[in-house]
């Protein structure tokens, strides 16, 4: 499907997957509205895209957890032309057991990864339904299939993203709207730095001895899904680095063995 002249909304676009996805869509002629909480960084990303690709770019600084901010920032004019929604905003916080977990961290993950995705989708979908076209791309995770110690709440949110994606396809069946869930495995972005709350040593150790996915790999998967012919819906993409067989199977060259 030709992207030139179409509009995409990408949440969480100040870094990582969201930034790479927005840039890749723009490189293929798509106008982009990009969202994030860091206004300065968001403006910088928007300027980079405008300069490199000469498309329209609309930076929208707001928190997807804030219902009023979502409905205020997404104007009627914008909602009338969004063809692609990429629900990328999300995070993991800490790696604690349920018994030792911080409820504030749980709220942050659930409110962003699940409720934020729902709030943005709820705001964008009516326009797509009216036009009888559109594509919703949710960024899930391998953690939506396999759990691990200390990841109960994060995994629960990504299981929820998978369930929402699957159920949404029934909601929009017959309308021409497509729904894709892109589920990456180990990927080197700011993810671990955010999870470990700025501890760079601990964050970098996650990737030691491996070749993880990059943000551009995930952006390529999204681009492939949204450019299929209109009669083709890529329902899910489980995208793993070659060094990872699953959540509990990661090849580390330093140790020369499969470890968890």
């Amino acid at each position: 499907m030709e992207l030139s002249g179409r509009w995409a909304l990408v949440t969480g676009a100040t870094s990582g997957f969201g930034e790479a996805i927005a840039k890749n869509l723009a490189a293929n002629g798509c106008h982009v509205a990009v969202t994030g909480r860091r206004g300065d960084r968001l403006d910088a990303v928007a300027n980079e895209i405008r300069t490199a690709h000469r498309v329209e770019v609309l930076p929208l600084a707001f928190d997807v957890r804030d219902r009023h901010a979502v409905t205020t920032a997404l104007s009627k004019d914008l909602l009338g032309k969004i063809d692609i929604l990429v629900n990328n905003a999300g995070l993991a916080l800490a790696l604690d057991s349920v018994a030792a977990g911080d409820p504030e961290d749980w709220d942050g993950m659930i409110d962003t990864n699940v409720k934020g995705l729902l709030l943005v989708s709820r705001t964008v979908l009516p326009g797509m339904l009216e036009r009888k076209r559109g594509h919703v791309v949710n960024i899930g995770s391998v953690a939506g299939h396999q759990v691990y110690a200390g990841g109960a709440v994060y995994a629960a949110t990504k299981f929820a993203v998978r369930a929402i994606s699957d159920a949404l396809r029934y909601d929009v069946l017959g309308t021409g709207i497509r729904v894709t869930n892109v589920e990456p495995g180990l990927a080197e972005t700011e993810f671990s730095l955010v999870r470990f709350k700025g501890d760079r040593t601990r964050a970098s150790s996650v990737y030691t001895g491996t070749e993880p996915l990059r943000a551009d790999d995930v952006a390529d998967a999204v681009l492939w899904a949204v450019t299929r012919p209109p009669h083709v819906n890529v329902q899910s993409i489980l995208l793993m680095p070659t060094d990872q067989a699953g959540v509990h199977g990661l090849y580390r060259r330093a140790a020369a063995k499969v470890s968890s």
Side-chain angles (χ1 to χ4, degrees):
M1 189 177 72
E2 178 62 45
L3 295 183
S4 181
R6 295 183 180 273
W7 272 90
L9 171 64
V10 183
T11 67
T14 55
S15 65
F17 297 160
E19 178 181 355
I21 291 166
K23 288 180 175 178
N24 209 15
L25 293 173
N28 285 270
C30 193
H31 306 304
V32 290
V34 289
T35 86
R37 292 181 294 172
R38 295 176 286 179
D40 291 346
R41 177 59 190 153
L42 193 65
D43 288 339
V45 170
N47 287 333
E48 289 173 25
I49 294 173
R50 286 192 198 97
T51 300
H53 305 300
R54 300 186 182 280
V55 296
E56 292 184 57
V57 186
L58 179 62
L60 300 169
F62 67 89
D63 190 333
V64 297
R65 298 175 297 180
D66 185 331
R67 184 184 307 180
H68 177 74
V70 170
T71 56
T72 301
L74 300 180
S75 68
K76 184 176 180 180
D77 177 64
L78 177 61
L79 293 172
K81 57 189 178 185
I82 294 173
D83 292 299
I84 300 165
L85 166 61
V86 182
N87 281 309
N88 168 71
L91 76 169
L93 293 170
L95 195 60
D96 298 325
S97 68
V98 172
D102 184 344
E104 292 291 330
D105 289 340
W106 302 347
D107 286 344
M109 289 183 278
I110 293 168
D111 289 350
T112 304
N113 301 0
V114 182
K115 292 171 67 177
L117 179 150
L118 287 169
L119 287 172
V120 175
S121 299
R122 174 65 179 85
T123 305
V124 172
L125 276 165
M128 289 183 172
L129 289 166
E130 184 177 341
R131 296 186 299 278
K132 296 191 180 298
R133 72 169 191 270
H135 198 149
V136 178
V137 180
N138 294 327
I139 304 300
S141 169
V142 64
H145 293 263
Q146 302 171 358
V147 300
Y148 52 89
V153 177
Y154 176 70
T157 69
K158 292 304 181 177
F159 269 80
V161 170
R162 182 155 65 99
I164 291 165
S165 301
D166 290 348
L168 183 55
R169 289 188 204 100
Y170 287 97
D171 288 350
V172 301
L173 187 62
T175 68
I177 297 171
R178 304 187 291 183
V179 181
T180 299
N181 189 19
V182 177
E183 303 170 288
L186 186 70
E188 189 168 10
T189 63
E190 291 183 354
F191 177 86
S192 290
L193 189 62
V194 172
R195 161 166 264 174
F196 298 123
K197 302 179 181 180
D199 186 337
R200 293 187 178 276
T201 300
R202 192 176 181 192
S204 64
S205 70
V206 173
Y207 313 106
T208 300
T210 73
E211 187 172 356
L213 297 173
R214 309 296 179 186
D216 286 342
D217 298 322
V218 176
D220 284 344
V222 171
L223 180 67
W224 181 76
V226 301
T227 53
R228 295 311 86 206
H231 71 285
V232 176
N233 182 27
V234 180
Q235 294 198 353
S236 63
I237 301 175
L238 182 59
L239 188 68
M240 306 286 280
T242 305
D243 283 344
Q244 188 176 27
V247 165
H248 303 288
L250 182 64
Y251 180 76
R252 294 188 186 274
R253 286 166 184 76
K257 65 178 182 179
V258 175
S259 72
S260 59

